[in-house]
Amino acid sequence: MPLQIVHHPDYDAGFAVNHRFPMSKYPLLMEALRARGLVEPDALNTAEPAPAAWLKLAHAADYVDQVINCSVPEKIEREIGFPVGPRVSLRAQLATGGTVLAARLAMRHGIACNTAGGSHHARRAQGAGFCTFNDVAVAALVLLANGAAQNILVVDLDVHQGDGTADILADDPRVFTFSMHGDRNYPVRKIASDLDVALPDGTGDAAYIEGLAAILPELSSQKRWDIIFYNAGVDVHAEDRLGRLSLSDDGLRARDETVISHFRRLGIPVCGVIGGGYSTDVPTLAARHAILFEVAAGYA
Ligand SMILES: [Zn+2]
């Protein structure tokens, strides 16, 4: 079966090419997926904006209203890293709706991926670190609210710690948050997940995969998870502008294979989101994000 992919052209909010946030990676990722023959018209799904009621399951109502009305206080915009104008507001609503849709598709088909998402620094009361809404937290709470899932696992392998997801979900007994990240990477003040593994600079492929493979059975033996959300941030890559963990392309592929094969062998649905990745060479960056879809397609 073809891999279920969720996308929207407005995931790209059209930033200047020299912006610190490489916004053009979203259309370039779709190009990369088409070039690899991974996009089947029947399995390509268009994201819809997440309604305010979904967003307010994870976020403070006044912050949700501020984003929708483009009236986010400047202090919070500075923490996010860009102003929240109409296109940024729309993309935040679309990326979140996209992760909810990908989660529902994963529960139906076993696996599905959003070509955006993984905005894990967005906390309950505000955005931060290039993240406006926390799509994974919203999607988890939507599934729980409508009874589609009772036990949810978040596997966050972006190089940055999942502080926003922890802020929203770590005290919710229905969701287990796991973050494995670079100890010296942003955020300086981390918010404790249910399980955090902090890795030293320059960890590299072998030690990374060995550590990950040792943890996954512990996670899957805790409960019968109804779905896992997998944040496959590629900022663990050696050439990433922000990351410090020194993984290679092969290491990224081995990481995605390790996670996806582990949970799919157990019959647990996997919802993949792309997470962070930073480079001025955006086509190469998009190719790094495409690895998640290449691996996921093998399990579709
Ligand atoms: Zn990151």
Side-chain angles (χ1 to χ4, degrees):
M1 296 288 281
L3 175 65
Q4 296 289 329
I5 294 173
V6 180
H7 181 69
H8 196 289
D10 289 331
Y11 283 173
D12 174 9
F15 287 2
V17 285
N18 59 351
H19 195 282
R20 288 186 305 139
F21 187 84
M23 193 57 91
S24 62
K25 75 181 186 178
Y26 299 98
L28 289 175
L29 170 58
M30 272 310 279
E31 255 179 54
L33 298 181
R34 288 186 204 282
R36 286 159 178 73
L38 294 173
V39 180
E40 292 282 340
D42 289 350
L44 180 60
N45 306 272
T46 303
E48 288 180 29
W54 290 1
L55 299 166
K56 289 175 182 178
L57 291 171
H59 293 286
D62 56 348
Y63 174 63
V64 171
D65 294 338
Q66 287 165 358
V67 173
I68 290 173
N69 303 327
C70 301
S71 61
V72 174
E74 252 184 71
K75 182 178 169 297
I76 296 178
E77 289 186 321
R78 274 198 299 277
E79 284 193 56
I80 293 173
F82 38 71
V84 182
R87 290 194 67 177
V88 168
S89 174
L90 176 62
R91 91 170 284 282
Q93 295 170 60
L94 284 170
T96 306
T99 296
V100 175
L101 178 55
R104 288 178 168 160
L105 290 164
M107 296 200 78
R108 197 175 314 145
H109 298 276
I111 189 162
C113 294
N114 191 4
T115 58
S119 297
H120 61 169
H121 300 307
R123 307 193 287 268
R124 183 167 288 281
Q126 68 165 91
F130 300 140
C131 301
T132 310
F133 289 135
N134 193 314
D135 54 291
V136 165
V138 170
L141 291 167
V142 168
L143 294 183
L144 292 165
N146 63 26
Q150 279 77 44
N151 297 301
I152 295 176
L153 173 64
V154 178
V155 175
D156 185 341
L157 300 186
D158 187 283
V159 83
H160 303 100
Q161 197 250 352
D163 59 337
T165 315
D167 179 59
I168 297 167
L169 293 173
D171 292 335
D172 190 323
R174 304 167 298 175
V175 186
F176 191 94
T177 55
F178 165 57
S179 174
M180 189 161 92
H181 49 264
D183 192 24
R184 293 186 57 223
N185 271 114
Y186 175 99
V188 177
R189 250 169 283 144
K190 297 170 171 52
I191 299 173
S193 312
D194 291 307
L195 176 62
D196 283 296
V197 174
L199 300 172
D201 287 6
T203 289
D205 292 350
Y208 185 98
I209 300 297
E210 193 184 325
L212 176 63
I215 290 163
L216 293 178
E218 288 178 35
L219 296 175
S220 50
S221 64
Q222 283 188 18
K223 265 186 191 170
R224 173 69 203 186
W225 304 112
D226 297 313
I227 185 169
I228 80 148
F229 287 92
Y230 173 36
N231 183 330
V234 298
D235 40 16
V236 291
H237 194 277
E239 282 160 34
D240 190 86
R241 208 161 54 74
L242 301 183
R244 296 166 172 271
L245 290 186
S246 306
L247 264 66
S248 68
D249 282 359
D250 287 346
L252 276 181
R253 192 177 300 279
R255 177 194 70 167
D256 294 349
E257 186 72 41
T258 300
V259 172
I260 294 171
S261 69
H262 180 81
F263 291 102
R264 290 307 299 134
R265 264 204 307 269
L266 296 168
I268 299 170
V270 174
C271 173
V273 295
I274 69 168
Y278 305 91
S279 173
T280 50
D281 179 355
V282 187
T284 300
L285 175 61
R288 259 173 231 156
H289 280 299
I291 293 172
L292 166 67
F293 296 77
E294 292 169 6
V295 173
Y299 294 86

